[in-house]
Amino acid sequence: GALNVLPESSLFNYDFDTDHLGLLAHDNLLIGGTIRSQSLVYNSVVLLQKGRVTARYNKIFLVPIEEDARLQAGNERQTNTLRFGDVILGVGICYESSFERISLKAVHNGAQALLFLSNTQSPPATALQLRSVQVRSAETGRVALFVGMAGNTSMTDAKGKVVWRMPWASSERRAISVPLYSGLTNAVHFSAQLSYILVAVTCATLVSLLWKGLHRKAERDHQG
Amino acid sequence: PRLEGYLEVNLVQPGIVG
């Protein structure tokens, strides 16, 4: 069946264990909310299938103060990919779309499309998040879905261009076919190494300038 | 990147401005 996706939602703050959470859904439902796990409360995305949680991602980059004062951050080493049947989806929650690492890690772990669930309800903030999602889409060569509470819910093509977008404050349910891609873009291939290469080039340049400077000084001292 | 297939998705936007 199709995957039903709802946003990271303030309507669904499940303050109980995931055992009970599963009872809420009998369909293929992907939804975000704050979820307790033992004594810790996370901001999570869960995949519910036939009343069971079959995949879960705990938000790694919590919003400073608002979230990190009361929630537990997900482990940075967990993967942010969820498997749905044969499909691997890369997920991020709310402003995690600002972090390049989120989409790079997902794609390195086989993500065929990206999915960002948000609960942001101000027009400028959702517009900004959508822009970040477009960048994540373009750099990874994946179609990205942005799912919001109040507006800007949208799909990009694999080059980051917004294909369609839901109007602000509209209540909509839309059936779509999401194209799935594999393979790595140059940005994904080289982004990890690029910073090391730039540091190496900078160090080599500094050493060479220092060397030349010392050499010239030695020449001048010799002439003088 | 290569196109490998499609995933059918129902997207829901609640339309709530809080």
Side-chain angles (χ1 to χ4, degrees):
Chain A
L3 177 65
N4 300 292
V5 181
L6 269 75
E8 175 207 9
S9 171
S10 53
L11 289 178
F12 299 93
N13 289 322
Y14 306 102
D15 191 18
F16 39 78
D17 288 333
T18 49
D19 292 349
H20 300 103
L21 177 64
L23 299 173
L24 296 172
H26 302 278
D27 210 348
N28 303 317
L29 178 67
L30 194 75
I31 189 169
T34 53
I35 299 171
R36 188 147 61 86
S37 194
Q38 283 136 15
S39 61
L40 302 170
V41 182
Y42 296 87
N43 185 348
S44 309
V45 167
V46 287
L47 176 60
L48 298 158
Q49 291 177 287
K50 295 192 173 127
R52 285 205 181 138
V53 176
T54 56
R56 175 171 176 172
Y57 166 67
N58 298 322
K59 188 178 190 184
I60 295 169
F61 301 107
L62 297 174
V63 177
I65 300 167
E66 187 193 332
E67 286 187 330
D68 69 2
R70 62 189 178 92
L71 298 176
Q72 176 70 33
N75 189 328
E76 271 218 53
R77 275 180 276 177
Q78 73 179 315
T79 62
N80 60 322
T81 50
L82 304 180
R83 181 176 278 277
F84 176 67
D86 297 331
V87 177
I88 301 175
L89 297 167
V91 295
I93 301 173
C94 205
Y95 97 133
E96 283 189 311
S97 56
S98 317
F99 296 86
E100 186 188 36
R101 269 179 284 171
I102 284 288
S103 51
L104 295 185
K105 191 160 81 162
V107 171
H108 277 299
N109 284 306
Q112 296 164 297
L114 302 175
L115 197 52
F116 289 95
L117 277 60
S118 176
N119 68 352
T120 307
Q121 293 176 46
S122 86
T126 47
L128 185 64
Q129 284 187 3
L130 177 54
R131 285 295 190 202
S132 306
V133 168
Q134 288 181 259
V135 176
R136 302 288 85 90
S137 162
E139 72 193 354
T140 54
R142 297 293 188 273
V143 167
L145 299 176
F146 176 73
V147 192
M149 284 287 283
N152 277 346
T153 295
S154 50
M155 181 168 87
T156 71
D157 64 15
K159 291 180 175 175
K161 189 181 161 209
V162 174
V163 181
W164 54 260
R165 181 198 317 225
M166 291 184 190
W168 190 257
S170 71
S171 182
E172 281 189 46
R173 180 177 180 275
R174 182 169 180 147
I176 50 170
S177 282
V178 180
L180 303 169
Y181 285 87
S182 69
L184 300 182
T185 58
N186 285 335
V188 174
H189 263 306
F190 299 115
S191 63
Q193 290 91 343
L194 191 61
S195 52
Y196 296 106
I197 293 167
L198 290 175
V199 167
V201 168
T202 306
C203 289
T205 308
L206 287 173
V207 167
S208 120
L209 287 172
L210 190 64
W211 181 259
K212 275 184 195 158
L214 288 173
H215 194 69
R216 275 196 207 129
K217 187 175 182 299
E219 266 182 1
R220 273 204 307 274
D221 290 349
H222 185 70
Q223 281 164 4
Chain B
R2 296 179 308 277
L3 181 63
E4 294 211 308
Y6 294 88
L7 173 67
E8 301 310 313
V9 171
N10 295 314
L11 272 193
V12 179
Q13 175 177 287
I16 293 159
V17 183

mmCIF file with all atom_site columns, all heavy atoms in Angstrom, chain A residues 3-18:
data_model
loop_
_atom_site.group_PDB
_atom_site.id
_atom_site.type_symbol
_atom_site.label_atom_id
_atom_site.label_alt_id
_atom_site.label_comp_id
_atom_site.label_asym_id
_atom_site.label_entity_id
_atom_site.label_seq_id
_atom_site.pdbx_PDB_ins_code
_atom_site.Cartn_x
_atom_site.Cartn_y
_atom_site.Cartn_z
_atom_site.occupancy
_atom_site.B_iso_or_equiv
_atom_site.pdbx_formal_charge
_atom_site.auth_seq_id
_atom_site.auth_comp_id
_atom_site.auth_asym_id
_atom_site.auth_atom_id
_atom_site.pdbx_PDB_model_num
ATOM 1   N N   . LEU A 1 3  ? 2.314  4.906  1.316  1.00 0.00 ? 3  LEU A N   1
ATOM 2   C CA  . LEU A 1 3  ? 2.804  5.415  2.601  1.00 0.00 ? 3  LEU A CA  1
ATOM 3   C C   . LEU A 1 3  ? 2.071  6.717  2.911  1.00 0.00 ? 3  LEU A C   1
ATOM 4   O O   . LEU A 1 3  ? 2.059  7.637  2.089  1.00 0.00 ? 3  LEU A O   1
ATOM 5   C CB  . LEU A 1 3  ? 4.310  5.659  2.517  1.00 0.00 ? 3  LEU A CB  1
ATOM 6   C CG  . LEU A 1 3  ? 4.980  6.250  3.758  1.00 0.00 ? 3  LEU A CG  1
ATOM 7   C CD1 . LEU A 1 3  ? 4.902  5.274  4.930  1.00 0.00 ? 3  LEU A CD1 1
ATOM 8   C CD2 . LEU A 1 3  ? 6.437  6.596  3.459  1.00 0.00 ? 3  LEU A CD2 1
ATOM 9   N N   . ASN A 1 4  ? 1.441  6.768  4.076  1.00 0.00 ? 4  ASN A N   1
ATOM 10  C CA  . ASN A 1 4  ? 0.745  7.985  4.500  1.00 0.00 ? 4  ASN A CA  1
ATOM 11  C C   . ASN A 1 4  ? 1.681  8.818  5.368  1.00 0.00 ? 4  ASN A C   1
ATOM 12  O O   . ASN A 1 4  ? 2.222  8.309  6.349  1.00 0.00 ? 4  ASN A O   1
ATOM 13  C CB  . ASN A 1 4  ? -0.516 7.621  5.287  1.00 0.00 ? 4  ASN A CB  1
ATOM 14  C CG  . ASN A 1 4  ? -1.465 6.796  4.449  1.00 0.00 ? 4  ASN A CG  1
ATOM 15  O OD1 . ASN A 1 4  ? -2.036 7.279  3.477  1.00 0.00 ? 4  ASN A OD1 1
ATOM 16  N ND2 . ASN A 1 4  ? -1.600 5.521  4.794  1.00 0.00 ? 4  ASN A ND2 1
ATOM 17  N N   . VAL A 1 5  ? 1.857  10.074 4.992  1.00 0.00 ? 5  VAL A N   1
ATOM 18  C CA  . VAL A 1 5  ? 2.817  10.911 5.711  1.00 0.00 ? 5  VAL A CA  1
ATOM 19  C C   . VAL A 1 5  ? 2.128  12.127 6.312  1.00 0.00 ? 5  VAL A C   1
ATOM 20  O O   . VAL A 1 5  ? 1.454  12.878 5.608  1.00 0.00 ? 5  VAL A O   1
ATOM 21  C CB  . VAL A 1 5  ? 3.953  11.380 4.771  1.00 0.00 ? 5  VAL A CB  1
ATOM 22  C CG1 . VAL A 1 5  ? 4.951  12.235 5.540  1.00 0.00 ? 5  VAL A CG1 1
ATOM 23  C CG2 . VAL A 1 5  ? 4.657  10.184 4.146  1.00 0.00 ? 5  VAL A CG2 1
ATOM 24  N N   . LEU A 1 6  ? 2.297  12.304 7.614  1.00 0.00 ? 6  LEU A N   1
ATOM 25  C CA  . LEU A 1 6  ? 1.821  13.494 8.310  1.00 0.00 ? 6  LEU A CA  1
ATOM 26  C C   . LEU A 1 6  ? 3.022  14.277 8.831  1.00 0.00 ? 6  LEU A C   1
ATOM 27  O O   . LEU A 1 6  ? 4.089  13.701 9.022  1.00 0.00 ? 6  LEU A O   1
ATOM 28  C CB  . LEU A 1 6  ? 0.899  13.114 9.480  1.00 0.00 ? 6  LEU A CB  1
ATOM 29  C CG  . LEU A 1 6  ? -0.591 13.023 9.171  1.00 0.00 ? 6  LEU A CG  1
ATOM 30  C CD1 . LEU A 1 6  ? -0.909 11.746 8.394  1.00 0.00 ? 6  LEU A CD1 1
ATOM 31  C CD2 . LEU A 1 6  ? -1.413 13.059 10.448 1.00 0.00 ? 6  LEU A CD2 1
ATOM 32  N N   . PRO A 1 7  ? 2.842  15.575 9.083  1.00 0.00 ? 7  PRO A N   1
ATOM 33  C CA  . PRO A 1 7  ? 3.996  16.357 9.546  1.00 0.00 ? 7  PRO A CA  1
ATOM 34  C C   . PRO A 1 7  ? 4.422  16.034 10.971 1.00 0.00 ? 7  PRO A C   1
ATOM 35  O O   . PRO A 1 7  ? 3.741  15.286 11.678 1.00 0.00 ? 7  PRO A O   1
ATOM 36  C CB  . PRO A 1 7  ? 3.486  17.798 9.462  1.00 0.00 ? 7  PRO A CB  1
ATOM 37  C CG  . PRO A 1 7  ? 2.020  17.710 9.482  1.00 0.00 ? 7  PRO A CG  1
ATOM 38  C CD  . PRO A 1 7  ? 1.650  16.396 8.878  1.00 0.00 ? 7  PRO A CD  1
ATOM 39  N N   . GLU A 1 8  ? 5.542  16.616 11.365 1.00 0.00 ? 8  GLU A N   1
ATOM 40  C CA  . GLU A 1 8  ? 5.929  16.639 12.773 1.00 0.00 ? 8  GLU A CA  1
ATOM 41  C C   . GLU A 1 8  ? 4.855  17.491 13.421 1.00 0.00 ? 8  GLU A C   1
ATOM 42  O O   . GLU A 1 8  ? 4.662  18.638 13.041 1.00 0.00 ? 8  GLU A O   1
ATOM 43  C CB  . GLU A 1 8  ? 7.296  17.321 12.941 1.00 0.00 ? 8  GLU A CB  1
ATOM 44  C CG  . GLU A 1 8  ? 7.710  17.478 14.382 1.00 0.00 ? 8  GLU A CG  1
ATOM 45  C CD  . GLU A 1 8  ? 8.638  18.664 14.586 1.00 0.00 ? 8  GLU A CD  1
ATOM 46  O OE1 . GLU A 1 8  ? 8.837  19.461 13.659 1.00 0.00 ? 8  GLU A OE1 1
ATOM 47  O OE2 . GLU A 1 8  ? 9.142  18.803 15.695 1.00 0.00 ? 8  GLU A OE2 1
ATOM 48  N N   . SER A 1 9  ? 4.119  16.913 14.345 1.00 0.00 ? 9  SER A N   1
ATOM 49  C CA  . SER A 1 9  ? 2.872  17.567 14.695 1.00 0.00 ? 9  SER A CA  1
ATOM 50  C C   . SER A 1 9  ? 2.720  17.823 16.168 1.00 0.00 ? 9  SER A C   1
ATOM 51  O O   . SER A 1 9  ? 2.918  16.949 17.002 1.00 0.00 ? 9  SER A O   1
ATOM 52  C CB  . SER A 1 9  ? 1.718  16.693 14.223 1.00 0.00 ? 9  SER A CB  1
ATOM 53  O OG  . SER A 1 9  ? 0.514  17.186 14.707 1.00 0.00 ? 9  SER A OG  1
ATOM 54  N N   . SER A 1 10 ? 2.284  19.050 16.480 1.00 0.00 ? 10 SER A N   1
ATOM 55  C CA  . SER A 1 10 ? 1.977  19.357 17.873 1.00 0.00 ? 10 SER A CA  1
ATOM 56  C C   . SER A 1 10 ? 0.669  18.689 18.296 1.00 0.00 ? 10 SER A C   1
ATOM 57  O O   . SER A 1 10 ? 0.326  18.651 19.457 1.00 0.00 ? 10 SER A O   1
ATOM 58  C CB  . SER A 1 10 ? 1.886  20.871 18.064 1.00 0.00 ? 10 SER A CB  1
ATOM 59  O OG  . SER A 1 10 ? 0.985  21.421 17.138 1.00 0.00 ? 10 SER A OG  1
ATOM 60  N N   . LEU A 1 11 ? -0.069 18.150 17.320 1.00 0.00 ? 11 LEU A N   1
ATOM 61  C CA  . LEU A 1 11 ? -1.300 17.420 17.646 1.00 0.00 ? 11 LEU A CA  1
ATOM 62  C C   . LEU A 1 11 ? -0.985 16.052 18.235 1.00 0.00 ? 11 LEU A C   1
ATOM 63  O O   . LEU A 1 11 ? -1.790 15.454 18.916 1.00 0.00 ? 11 LEU A O   1
ATOM 64  C CB  . LEU A 1 11 ? -2.134 17.183 16.378 1.00 0.00 ? 11 LEU A CB  1
ATOM 65  C CG  . LEU A 1 11 ? -2.811 18.374 15.745 1.00 0.00 ? 11 LEU A CG  1
ATOM 66  C CD1 . LEU A 1 11 ? -3.527 17.925 14.488 1.00 0.00 ? 11 LEU A CD1 1
ATOM 67  C CD2 . LEU A 1 11 ? -3.802 18.987 16.713 1.00 0.00 ? 11 LEU A CD2 1
ATOM 68  N N   . PHE A 1 12 ? 0.207  15.538 17.904 1.00 0.00 ? 12 PHE A N   1
ATOM 69  C CA  . PHE A 1 12 ? 0.528  14.181 18.300 1.00 0.00 ? 12 PHE A CA  1
ATOM 70  C C   . PHE A 1 12 ? 1.750  14.161 19.200 1.00 0.00 ? 12 PHE A C   1
ATOM 71  O O   . PHE A 1 12 ? 2.830  13.811 18.769 1.00 0.00 ? 12 PHE A O   1
ATOM 72  C CB  . PHE A 1 12 ? 0.778  13.314 17.059 1.00 0.00 ? 12 PHE A CB  1
ATOM 73  C CG  . PHE A 1 12 ? -0.425 13.238 16.170 1.00 0.00 ? 12 PHE A CG  1
ATOM 74  C CD1 . PHE A 1 12 ? -0.574 14.133 15.129 1.00 0.00 ? 12 PHE A CD1 1
ATOM 75  C CD2 . PHE A 1 12 ? -1.403 12.293 16.391 1.00 0.00 ? 12 PHE A CD2 1
ATOM 76  C CE1 . PHE A 1 12 ? -1.692 14.064 14.307 1.00 0.00 ? 12 PHE A CE1 1
ATOM 77  C CE2 . PHE A 1 12 ? -2.525 12.236 15.573 1.00 0.00 ? 12 PHE A CE2 1
ATOM 78  C CZ  . PHE A 1 12 ? -2.670 13.125 14.522 1.00 0.00 ? 12 PHE A CZ  1
ATOM 79  N N   . ASN A 1 13 ? 1.565  14.590 20.413 1.00 0.00 ? 13 ASN A N   1
ATOM 80  C CA  . ASN A 1 13 ? 2.648  14.489 21.366 1.00 0.00 ? 13 ASN A CA  1
ATOM 81  C C   . ASN A 1 13 ? 2.376  13.273 22.234 1.00 0.00 ? 13 ASN A C   1
ATOM 82  O O   . ASN A 1 13 ? 1.639  13.338 23.207 1.00 0.00 ? 13 ASN A O   1
ATOM 83  C CB  . ASN A 1 13 ? 2.763  15.764 22.196 1.00 0.00 ? 13 ASN A CB  1
ATOM 84  C CG  . ASN A 1 13 ? 3.293  16.887 21.342 1.00 0.00 ? 13 ASN A CG  1
ATOM 85  O OD1 . ASN A 1 13 ? 4.162  16.676 20.500 1.00 0.00 ? 13 ASN A OD1 1
ATOM 86  N ND2 . ASN A 1 13 ? 2.768  18.073 21.535 1.00 0.00 ? 13 ASN A ND2 1
ATOM 87  N N   . TYR A 1 14 ? 2.945  12.167 21.815 1.00 0.00 ? 14 TYR A N   1
ATOM 88  C CA  . TYR A 1 14 ? 2.657  10.898 22.478 1.00 0.00 ? 14 TYR A CA  1
ATOM 89  C C   . TYR A 1 14 ? 3.485  10.789 23.729 1.00 0.00 ? 14 TYR A C   1
ATOM 90  O O   . TYR A 1 14 ? 4.644  10.415 23.671 1.00 0.00 ? 14 TYR A O   1
ATOM 91  C CB  . TYR A 1 14 ? 3.007  9.733  21.557 1.00 0.00 ? 14 TYR A CB  1
ATOM 92  C CG  . TYR A 1 14 ? 2.361  9.809  20.214 1.00 0.00 ? 14 TYR A CG  1
ATOM 93  C CD1 . TYR A 1 14 ? 3.077  10.227 19.116 1.00 0.00 ? 14 TYR A CD1 1
ATOM 94  C CD2 . TYR A 1 14 ? 1.044  9.433  20.055 1.00 0.00 ? 14 TYR A CD2 1
ATOM 95  C CE1 . TYR A 1 14 ? 2.497  10.283 17.872 1.00 0.00 ? 14 TYR A CE1 1
ATOM 96  C CE2 . TYR A 1 14 ? 0.454  9.490  18.824 1.00 0.00 ? 14 TYR A CE2 1
ATOM 97  C CZ  . TYR A 1 14 ? 1.180  9.911  17.735 1.00 0.00 ? 14 TYR A CZ  1
ATOM 98  O OH  . TYR A 1 14 ? 0.606  9.960  16.523 1.00 0.00 ? 14 TYR A OH  1
ATOM 99  N N   . ASP A 1 15 ? 2.884  11.109 24.850 1.00 0.00 ? 15 ASP A N   1
ATOM 100 C CA  . ASP A 1 15 ? 3.655  11.054 26.080 1.00 0.00 ? 15 ASP A CA  1
ATOM 101 C C   . ASP A 1 15 ? 3.503  9.677  26.716 1.00 0.00 ? 15 ASP A C   1
ATOM 102 O O   . ASP A 1 15 ? 3.116  9.537  27.863 1.00 0.00 ? 15 ASP A O   1
ATOM 103 C CB  . ASP A 1 15 ? 3.221  12.162 27.038 1.00 0.00 ? 15 ASP A CB  1
ATOM 104 C CG  . ASP A 1 15 ? 4.183  12.293 28.197 1.00 0.00 ? 15 ASP A CG  1
ATOM 105 O OD1 . ASP A 1 15 ? 5.323  11.797 28.081 1.00 0.00 ? 15 ASP A OD1 1
ATOM 106 O OD2 . ASP A 1 15 ? 3.794  12.859 29.215 1.00 0.00 ? 15 ASP A OD2 1
ATOM 107 N N   . PHE A 1 16 ? 3.717  8.667  25.931 1.00 0.00 ? 16 PHE A N   1
ATOM 108 C CA  . PHE A 1 16 ? 3.690  7.318  26.485 1.00 0.00 ? 16 PHE A CA  1
ATOM 109 C C   . PHE A 1 16 ? 4.589  6.423  25.629 1.00 0.00 ? 16 PHE A C   1
ATOM 110 O O   . PHE A 1 16 ? 5.161  6.856  24.633 1.00 0.00 ? 16 PHE A O   1
ATOM 111 C CB  . PHE A 1 16 ? 2.271  6.758  26.573 1.00 0.00 ? 16 PHE A CB  1
ATOM 112 C CG  . PHE A 1 16 ? 1.397  7.109  25.404 1.00 0.00 ? 16 PHE A CG  1
ATOM 113 C CD1 . PHE A 1 16 ? 1.514  6.452  24.209 1.00 0.00 ? 16 PHE A CD1 1
ATOM 114 C CD2 . PHE A 1 16 ? 0.443  8.118  25.526 1.00 0.00 ? 16 PHE A CD2 1
ATOM 115 C CE1 . PHE A 1 16 ? 0.705  6.777  23.139 1.00 0.00 ? 16 PHE A CE1 1
ATOM 116 C CE2 . PHE A 1 16 ? -0.370 8.445  24.460 1.00 0.00 ? 16 PHE A CE2 1
ATOM 117 C CZ  . PHE A 1 16 ? -0.244 7.778  23.261 1.00 0.00 ? 16 PHE A CZ  1
ATOM 118 N N   . ASP A 1 17 ? 4.684  5.186  26.020 1.00 0.00 ? 17 ASP A N   1
ATOM 119 C CA  . ASP A 1 17 ? 5.642  4.304  25.366 1.00 0.00 ? 17 ASP A CA  1
ATOM 120 C C   . ASP A 1 17 ? 5.218  3.937  23.942 1.00 0.00 ? 17 ASP A C   1
ATOM 121 O O   . ASP A 1 17 ? 4.050  3.977  23.588 1.00 0.00 ? 17 ASP A O   1
ATOM 122 C CB  . ASP A 1 17 ? 5.806  3.017  26.167 1.00 0.00 ? 17 ASP A CB  1
ATOM 123 C CG  . ASP A 1 17 ? 6.579  3.272  27.442 1.00 0.00 ? 17 ASP A CG  1
ATOM 124 O OD1 . ASP A 1 17 ? 7.381  4.216  27.458 1.00 0.00 ? 17 ASP A OD1 1
ATOM 125 O OD2 . ASP A 1 17 ? 6.360  2.536  28.399 1.00 0.00 ? 17 ASP A OD2 1
ATOM 126 N N   . THR A 1 18 ? 6.202  3.570  23.152 1.00 0.00 ? 18 THR A N   1
ATOM 127 C CA  . THR A 1 18 ? 5.938  3.236  21.756 1.00 0.00 ? 18 THR A CA  1
ATOM 128 C C   . THR A 1 18 ? 5.069  1.987  21.611 1.00 0.00 ? 18 THR A C   1
ATOM 129 O O   . THR A 1 18 ? 4.442  1.787  20.595 1.00 0.00 ? 18 THR A O   1
ATOM 130 C CB  . THR A 1 18 ? 7.260  3.032  21.007 1.00 0.00 ? 18 THR A CB  1
ATOM 131 O OG1 . THR A 1 18 ? 8.063  2.169  21.784 1.00 0.00 ? 18 THR A OG1 1
ATOM 132 C CG2 . THR A 1 18 ? 7.953  4.342  20.761 1.00 0.00 ? 18 THR A CG2 1
#
